[in-house]
Amino acid sequence: MCPSRILAALTVSILLAAPGHAQTPPPAPPPLAGRGQSTPPSAPAAPGPPLPTQKPPTRADILRGEYGRYRANNDLLFYHLDVRVDPEKKSIAGKNTIRFRMLEDDTRIQLDLYANLAVDRIMLGGTPLKYERDLNTVYVDFPRTLKAGKEYAIDFYYSGMPKKQGRFGGMVYDKDPDGHDWIFTACEDEGAAVWWPNKDQWRDEVERMEISVAIPNGLVDVSNGKFAGKTDLGDGYTRWDWLVQYPINNYDVSLNIGNYVHFADSLGDLPLDFFVTPGNLEGAKRQFAQARPMLEAYEHYFGEYPFKKDGYKLIEVPYSGMEHQSAVTYGNRFANGYLERDWTGVGTSLKFDFIIIHESGHEWFGNAVSAADVSDMWIHEGWTTYLEALYVEHQFGHDEALRYVNAYKSKVRNREPIITQRGIHRSPSQDMYFKGALFLNTLRSVVDDDARWWTLIRDVFQHFKYQNILTEDLVRYVNAQLGQDLTPLFDQYLRRADLPVFEMAFDETEGTMAYRWRADERAFAMPIKIGTAGRWQTLRPTTDWQIMKTTLTKGTVAVATDLYYVTVFK
Ligand SMILES: [Zn+2]
């Protein structure tokens, strides 16, 4: 998902702390309140309004987010979502066939469908099943115990009028500028159960999926996966069939119904298909030419496009965009930047189309490598924001990539940890995008060997693709690959609100400098480069003071803060 644009305006005011005019002897260390500047804040930042993520969870959040007994007792294998969409009535009706393997003997499983939609019936073969609804949860009960290791399939029939909600609307019945129906789904925050019944959580994915969508003749449905044909149903409707041949997140499953025109390209044997409204065909042919260099850049760093059998698609929609797997939706006005703005403010953003580069990056991180709980969504957004910087590096060089990623400091708040509480469907704050990317840029400097870094990030992708993981899986793997324990670094940047503070205290008569990290993690130990620009030396500070001889002084010393995202205090 693209970051919200509101944030940029909110953060500027808290970043303008003046340098503290310190007296000798050595000043008191600052509170651990790094906000991305290289000088200490002189006053506490003004308290902002409480963030939405600080609200206590509702019971619906827990029902949705908890991976309890009736979720954990089964493993999803396959969905066939087969629906009819009526633009006049703004309704949807049909069924989802859900195939799963039981992991424990049990008589009940937990599924999800928003309370405003009707459950028409749930069938196990010819047997109607009892069910119990609790808010947006549907517990399905079986007359006999389902046995561990065995596979079962149920048909979940439903109908209703999805309610427009959330950032992009969930499911929206709109019109295009020419007055044709334009119906789409985008439901990452509120969940796929806003428009279809499924096991709506992040840990378990089906291995593959079929999507069948009946719509009035003349309209086109573009969903995920490979186009598998269309059938005239003889009643004014045509069914469009799509086949997803890889694991897929529920929220990535998408309908895009409109008066689309199609054009195609390819990258080797990877088909690239583009769907836009007729008035934007020329603009799209110009702008979507960026898909090829984008794919080439990401394939260079991580390996082959992960959904090759399904192809790559860009589909025009009226909202900014979303990473729907193999069917990336696009609403960035066929212009460079992010909604025609210089998103990072250093000129680089105007050299490419933010939505093509960001949302497609999610094919690697988000769709192929997925988080197992929304708490760890930085695995999607921090990595993909870092992928933007890799794209910049591939196209425009390392210096420009450094300028680009460091420009994101102005959007970081450091008010709360990036990783949130598990099991309550708690989305992280926007720091997961920008601080997440800056942390990965820092980690590259910690590795301090680009050949090793390129190998590491490629291996991370290849090792975890098509899996749903938590941060600790990633940390364990990185530690093993590098042969060192970087857990305190991951913990400080992802599980604590504050940046590490690099403290220096100079004794110019003795010609010495005392230095250490001030961090919440007592075991925090990270190398850092100091000196003068272009003449760096690497120090290995810990949270204990060390003293070194130096000709550097408080006035001349610089810290390589473009390479390490830290607060500096001297
Ligand atoms: Zn995103």
Side-chain angles (χ1 to χ4, degrees):
M1 182 166 49
C2 48
S4 159
R5 293 174 60 236
I6 298 163
L7 182 72
L10 286 175
T11 49
V12 173
S13 59
I14 62 166
L15 292 160
L16 299 176
H21 185 75
Q23 306 284 329
T24 48
L32 279 173
R35 303 213 179 267
Q37 75 282 49
S38 58
T39 46
S42 59
L51 297 172
T53 51
Q54 292 172 333
K55 282 189 216 151
T58 62
R59 204 163 65 77
D61 292 335
I62 292 169
L63 281 171
R64 166 106 186 273
E66 196 173 45
Y67 206 73
R69 169 177 167 183
Y70 301 116
R71 289 203 193 280
N73 66 7
N74 69 87
D75 176 28
L76 287 172
L77 300 173
F78 169 80
Y79 293 137
H80 179 194
L81 180 62
D82 184 359
V83 293
R84 176 174 284 240
V85 174
D86 186 334
E88 295 281 300
K89 293 186 182 150
K90 296 181 168 39
S91 68
I92 187 166
K95 73 169 193 288
N96 186 20
T97 300
I98 303 172
R99 196 159 77 227
F100 54 95
R101 179 184 296 114
M102 288 305 283
L103 300 174
E104 306 284 342
D105 287 1
D106 219 332
T107 56
R108 168 174 266 206
I109 63 169
Q110 180 184 346
L111 300 172
D112 304 77
L113 181 70
Y114 267 49
N116 63 303
L117 299 177
V119 178
D120 294 331
R121 63 192 183 280
I122 304 174
M123 306 293 290
L124 175 69
T127 309
L129 298 174
K130 293 202 169 88
Y131 57 87
E132 181 186 332
R133 303 193 76 171
D134 184 2
L135 301 172
N136 302 326
T137 289
V138 183
Y139 293 106
V140 182
D141 289 306
F142 295 85
R144 280 179 296 281
T145 300
L146 305 184
K147 292 292 184 187
K150 289 197 75 172
E151 290 181 17
Y152 299 89
I154 60 171
D155 295 315
F156 190 133
Y157 290 84
Y158 78 111
S159 58
M161 291 186 285
K163 202 159 66 196
K164 190 173 171 179
Q165 58 198 288
R167 185 166 165 216
F168 297 139
M171 181 165 186
V172 179
Y173 293 77
D174 207 344
K175 297 277 185 189
D176 74 11
D178 302 324
H180 294 100
D181 287 306
W182 205 2
I183 302 165
F184 60 87
T185 65
C187 55
E188 183 174 17
D189 288 338
E190 51 278 16
V194 76
W195 66 275
W196 60 287
N198 62 89
K199 182 178 173 180
D200 206 2
Q201 42 66 59
W202 280 34
R203 190 172 298 256
D204 190 10
E205 294 181 6
V206 288
E207 309 304 318
R208 47 192 285 282
M209 177 164 185
E210 288 176 38
I211 304 166
S212 301
V213 187
I215 50 175
N217 295 341
L219 292 171
V220 173
D221 171 62
V222 190
S223 287
N224 319 80
K226 185 183 165 73
F227 179 56
K230 57 178 180 170
T231 306
D232 188 333
L233 300 175
D235 60 354
Y237 274 65
T238 296
R239 192 185 72 229
W240 295 69
D241 293 314
W242 297 86
L243 178 62
V244 179
Q245 301 166 89
Y246 300 88
I248 184 167
N249 295 329
N250 295 320
Y251 71 75
D252 267 328
V253 175
S254 174
L255 309 184
N256 300 283
I257 298 164
N259 179 40
Y260 287 123
V261 290
H262 167 246
F263 63 103
D265 194 355
S266 63
L267 181 66
D269 53 355
L270 173 66
L272 314 179
D273 289 286
F274 305 113
F275 298 86
V276 296
T277 54
N280 285 321
L281 183 59
E282 290 315 308
K285 283 184 171 171
R286 190 180 59 244
Q287 197 69 2
F288 290 179
Q290 293 186 35
R292 283 161 61 105
M294 172 278 296
L295 290 161
E296 284 166 349
Y298 295 150
E299 289 194 338
H300 167 79
Y301 291 109
F302 298 103
E304 189 173 73
Y305 174 73
F307 306 106
K308 197 169 174 185
K309 286 184 284 180
D310 287 357
Y312 171 81
K313 296 181 276 306
L314 276 173
I315 304 148
E316 184 191 351
V317 288
Y319 60 91
S320 57
M322 185 65 204
E323 66 258 30
H324 298 128
Q325 182 171 307
S326 80
V328 173
T329 47
Y330 174 91
N332 201 33
R333 303 177 188 166
F334 304 94
N336 282 355
Y338 182 12
L339 298 172
E340 299 176 71
R341 299 270 295 274
D342 180 0
W343 172 234
T344 47
V346 291
T348 310
S349 298
L350 296 174
K351 296 182 178 180
F352 62 88
D353 189 306
F354 176 81
I355 289 295
I356 295 175
I357 303 310
H358 178 92
E359 304 307 340
S360 305
H362 279 304
E363 296 279 44
W364 280 263
F365 285 88
N367 300 347
V369 179
S370 304
D373 189 304
V374 69
S375 59
D376 291 54
M377 192 173 166
W378 83 279
I379 293 169
H380 300 196
E381 300 300 352
W383 276 86
T384 297
T385 304
Y386 184 65
L387 262 60
E388 296 166 22
L390 292 180
Y391 174 80
V392 171
E393 182 158 351
H394 192 257
Q395 300 302 102
F396 311 114
H398 183 231
D399 288 351
E400 183 132 13
L402 271 186
R403 268 198 302 281
Y404 182 83
V405 73
N406 279 287
Y408 273 137
K409 285 177 179 171
S410 66
K411 302 186 196 294
V412 179
R413 293 192 217 186
N414 290 313
R415 283 196 196 168
E416 58 189 322
I418 286 177
I419 297 175
T420 55
Q421 184 180 333
R422 297 222 166 112
I424 59 169
H425 198 77
R426 175 55 45 87
S427 292
S429 78
Q430 295 231 3
D431 278 4
M432 69 175 158
Y433 290 83
F434 316 118
K435 190 175 178 181
L438 285 156
F439 169 58
L440 291 170
N441 184 56
T442 302
L443 206 55
R444 174 173 171 180
S445 308
V446 171
V447 172
D448 200 22
D449 176 341
D450 278 349
R452 271 189 105 191
W453 176 247
W454 301 136
T455 302
L456 176 70
I457 61 173
R458 189 185 188 89
D459 287 350
V460 163
F461 173 73
Q462 292 295 335
H463 183 74
F464 290 116
K465 68 179 175 184
Y466 314 129
Q467 294 186 40
N468 297 64
I469 61 168
L470 294 169
T471 301
E472 41 272 40
D473 301 311
L474 182 68
V475 174
R476 205 178 301 116
Y477 183 79
V478 167
N479 287 345
Q481 293 301 105
L482 294 176
Q484 54 181 317
D485 184 9
L486 298 179
T487 310
L489 273 65
F490 280 88
D491 287 349
Q492 183 67 40
Y493 281 96
L494 303 174
R495 299 182 191 280
R496 305 283 191 165
D498 294 312
L499 287 176
V501 179
F502 182 58
E503 283 186 42
M504 293 175 284
F506 288 89
D507 185 332
E508 287 169 18
T509 54
E510 291 287 327
T512 59
M513 182 188 91
Y515 60 95
R516 69 165 181 180
W517 287 114
R518 232 175 106 66
D520 305 286
E521 294 294 327
R522 182 70 176 86
F524 187 84
M526 182 170 88
I528 191 159
K529 292 184 196 301
I530 72 158
T532 51
R535 291 189 47 134
W536 301 120
Q537 63 180 113
T538 304
L539 300 185
R540 303 202 167 274
T542 67
T543 53
D544 291 328
W545 286 109
Q546 300 177 62
I547 291 185
M548 62 183 263
K549 279 272 188 193
T550 184
T551 55
L552 293 168
T553 64
K554 185 177 170 176
T556 61
V557 71
V559 177
T561 49
D562 279 359
L563 302 178
Y564 305 86
Y565 184 34
V566 300
T567 301
V568 172
F569 183 78
K570 56 184 178 177

